[in-house]
Amino acid sequence: MERNQFLLFLSFLFSTIATILGIAILVSGSSLARFSSGTGGGLFQASEIGAVVIPIVGEIHSGESTFDSTGADTVLRQLRELEEDGNVKGILLEINSPGGTVAASQEIFNELLHLRKTKKIVVSMKDVAASGGYYIAAASDYIFAQNGTITGSIGVISFAPNVKGLLDRYGVGVRTYKAGKYKDMYSPFRDSTNEEDDMIGKQLQDTYRKFVEDVAKGRNKTVKSIEELAEGKIYSGEDAFRNKLVDDIGGRREAHKKLSELCQYDGLIPLFEQEISPFDRFLQSLGVAFMGDNSHVSKIRSLIQSQVLVILPTALGKLML
C-alpha cells in the first residue's frame, strides 16, 4: 500500500513538473527562450538579438536525437522554429560526427541550405566531421576545423553481413519465402547474385553522385574539383584547409567571431545554447549506466535486421551505427 502511494506521488510530481515546463515554453515569445545564455551575451531578454548553437553529435539518423546521436527530426524542428524568429541572426553548428544515414544527412543539408538564405551559418568541427558530418557542414557559409580534426570521407557504403559459410559448416539451412525476385537481396543467409550486385552498385553511384553535387553546391565549387577530393578520402583539418574543404583553422572562439562578422553585429553576437535540465541529465546518466557497452550490441542487432544504406567513413577504425 505504501509503495503504491509512493509511486502515485512520484507520478504526480513528474506530471506537475512537465506541466510547468510546458507552460513556460508556451509563454515564451521567442525561440531563443528555449536556449540559455552563452558566450557573448548576458541574461536572456525576449527581444534580444542573438545566434544559436546547434550540436551535431554522433550517428546521424532519422527520428529524434538521443544523448549520443543526432536525429534529423529533432534538428529540422529546431531549424524551422529558428527560421521564424527574427531575433535569431545566425547559427553556429558544432559538428562531432562520423556520419550516418543518407536521407537524414540530406534532409539536414537541404534545410540548412534553405535557411542560409535568411540566416548566417558557421560550422565549428570538433574531433570528427566526416562523411554525413561533412555533408551537413557543406551547407554552411563558413567552416572552421581544428588541425587534428578528421573530416572529408565523401563517399557512400552499403553493407550486409553474410553468415552463409558459417551455416553451411554446421549444416544449418534457412528457408526463405518471398514475393518478389529481389525481396531478399540483402539476405545474410546467401550470396548475392551478379545482377543484385549491379543493382546495389547503381544505387551507391547515384547516391555518391548526389553527395558530390550537393557538396559542390554548398561550397560553391565545381563538381570536378570535389570529385578529385572525394572517393572516401579522409583529411586532417590542416589538409582539408589546404584543399579548401574548410575555410579556416580554429574552434568555437574563431567561429563565434566570424559568425558575428557575417551577421554584421558590433562586437560578439550573443550565443544561446539549448539547456539540458537536471532531469534530462539524470535520465542520460541512467542511460549510460544501464546501456553500457550493450548499446553497441543493440545497434549491430538493428543493422543485421534491416537493409541499411549509410554514409560513413570506412577508415576511422570504428563501427558507428
Side-chain angles (χ1 to χ4, degrees):
M1 185 67 179
E2 292 181 358
R3 182 174 179 273
N4 290 337
Q5 289 177 338
F6 178 70
L7 291 175
L8 184 62
F9 170 75
L10 284 180
S11 177
F12 173 76
L13 179 62
F14 288 147
S15 298
T16 302
I17 293 174
T19 301
I20 293 173
L21 290 176
I23 293 173
I25 290 173
L26 289 174
V27 170
S28 62
S30 167
S31 57
L32 282 178
R34 302 185 186 184
F35 296 82
S36 62
S37 180
T39 310
L43 293 175
F44 169 73
Q45 299 172 358
S47 61
E48 186 174 356
I49 298 298
V52 170
V53 179
I54 294 183
I56 305 293
V57 179
E59 174 205 354
I60 302 164
H61 55 82
S62 297
E64 301 296 332
S65 296
T66 68
F67 67 93
D68 64 348
S69 70
T70 297
D73 290 354
T74 301
V75 176
L76 294 177
R77 184 167 57 251
Q78 290 175 334
L79 295 177
R80 287 164 185 165
E81 288 175 357
L82 297 177
E83 181 182 10
E84 301 299 324
D85 195 329
N87 291 330
V88 178
K89 301 302 180 183
I91 295 172
L92 175 58
L93 285 177
E94 293 193 324
I95 301 179
N96 193 15
S97 169
T101 60
V102 174
S105 302
Q106 289 175 337
E107 274 195 306
I108 297 174
F109 171 87
N110 290 328
E111 191 66 27
L112 287 170
L113 211 59
H114 169 74
L115 196 59
R116 204 166 83 175
K117 298 174 183 177
T118 55
K119 314 284 184 185
K120 298 302 179 183
I121 303 172
V122 174
V123 165
S124 174
M125 292 181 170
K126 304 302 181 184
D127 294 327
V128 181
S131 205
Y134 184 77
Y135 203 147
I136 290 172
S140 66
D141 294 292
Y142 208 86
I143 302 175
F144 283 91
Q146 297 288 358
N147 295 84
T149 298
I150 296 175
T151 188
S153 189
I154 302 172
V156 185
I157 179 172
S158 179
F159 55 93
N162 187 333
V163 296
K164 180 179 180 297
L166 179 64
L167 297 180
D168 289 344
R169 179 177 179 180
Y170 291 98
V172 178
V174 176
R175 290 180 293 179
T176 300
Y177 305 95
K178 60 181 179 179
K181 181 179 178 181
Y182 306 106
K183 188 60 179 176
D184 65 336
M185 188 164 63
Y186 278 83
S187 172
F189 306 120
R190 67 173 179 82
D191 295 326
S192 59
T193 66
N194 291 334
E195 186 179 7
E196 289 168 342
D197 289 341
D198 290 341
M199 292 174 64
I200 295 172
K202 183 179 184 305
Q203 183 184 29
L204 292 175
Q205 285 302 318
D206 288 345
T207 306
Y208 176 66
R209 184 179 66 252
K210 178 63 175 172
F211 192 171
V212 171
E213 290 173 352
D214 280 348
V215 169
K217 181 179 180 180
R219 297 290 295 159
N220 295 316
K221 306 290 185 184
T222 64
V223 171
K224 183 178 179 180
S225 68
I226 299 300
E227 283 177 337
E228 294 173 353
L229 300 171
E231 297 182 344
K233 300 173 186 174
I234 61 172
Y235 302 87
S236 67
E238 196 168 346
D239 281 339
F241 174 60
R242 282 195 290 262
N243 286 285
K244 299 182 178 179
L245 286 174
V246 305
D247 299 294
D248 211 341
I249 299 296
R252 174 181 279 214
R253 184 187 301 275
E254 291 76 16
H256 185 191
K257 182 179 178 181
K258 185 65 179 181
L259 183 59
S260 302
E261 293 174 1
L262 293 177
C263 293
Q264 298 181 340
Y265 190 88
D266 186 16
L268 290 177
I269 191 168
L271 281 181
F272 295 90
E273 300 181 61
Q274 188 165 23
E275 290 184 316
I276 300 178
S277 68
F279 182 67
D280 286 337
R281 291 186 185 278
F282 173 69
L283 290 180
Q284 289 180 5
S285 66
L286 284 181
V288 173
F290 285 124
M291 290 170 63
D293 292 335
N294 289 332
S295 61
H296 298 289
V297 175
S298 63
K299 290 177 181 179
I300 294 173
R301 185 183 299 115
S302 297
L303 168 64
I304 293 174
Q305 293 174 348
S306 63
Q307 299 178 10
V308 181
L309 178 66
V310 296
I311 303 177
L312 282 172
T314 58
L316 299 185
K318 290 184 178 181
L319 176 63
M320 300 293 291
L321 273 176

